[in-house]
Amino acid sequence: MASVHREIVVERPVAEVWDALADVGALHTRLVRGFVTDCRLEPGARVVTFANGLVARELIVSVDAERRRVAWSVVGGRLSHHNASAQAFAEGDGACRIVWIADFLPDEHAPAIAAMVEQGLQAMRRTLAAA
């Protein structure tokens, strides 16, 4: 199983980052503006439209306020398995480390998914800096 682990540090308080991360229906406005262009909530899931035209249905597995962690799983499409999480950690005074992990099959999608995670984190950095 392929796994992509990436992280960034943003100069925002962890509480603010968690508030945006936990708002699972507002990816396109509060968290990764420009990377995600639309997000529509369904019972237990969200339908996400990415800037590259890809549309994914993501089951919301967990929104864990104690750990400041959101987990989701893409269903349907080209992947036979997908689960991912994003978690926010306090990093010094007024900063936050965000860790994004994605596990998936088949392995050959690793370069494309790694690129999307990188693009998503950069959009997250820009969006949170502008908040």
Side-chain angles (χ1 to χ4, degrees):
M1 180 176 305
S3 189
V4 173
H5 296 241
R6 300 288 188 274
E7 60 184 73
I8 59 169
V9 174
V10 295
E11 297 300 321
R12 302 300 296 174
V14 70
E16 288 181 21
V17 172
W18 169 245
D19 190 56
L21 184 61
D23 193 355
V24 296
L27 287 174
H28 61 306
T29 58
R30 296 195 61 203
L31 195 62
V32 289
R33 201 173 317 133
F35 176 65
V36 170
T37 59
D38 189 48
C39 182
R40 181 173 42 87
L41 288 177
E42 295 181 345
R46 62 188 175 195
V47 177
V48 177
T49 303
F50 294 90
N52 65 6
L54 179 70
V55 177
R57 184 166 188 272
E58 300 178 343
L59 300 179
I60 304 302
V61 176
S62 174
V63 179
D64 184 340
E66 183 179 337
R67 290 175 181 78
R68 295 187 202 103
R69 179 180 178 268
V70 175
W72 65 96
S73 176
V74 173
V75 292
R78 303 175 304 174
L79 300 175
S80 60
H81 172 81
H82 173 276
N83 63 278
S85 65
Q87 191 167 4
F89 299 91
E91 185 80 11
D93 189 30
C96 177
R97 182 169 44 97
I98 302 163
V99 177
W100 185 340
I101 300 170
D103 300 309
F104 51 90
L105 291 168
D107 293 350
E108 66 245 20
H109 292 289
I113 291 177
M116 286 189 74
V117 169
E118 288 289 342
Q119 292 167 11
L121 285 171
Q122 293 314 309
M124 198 177 295
R125 183 188 305 279
R126 287 189 306 272
T127 302
L128 292 169

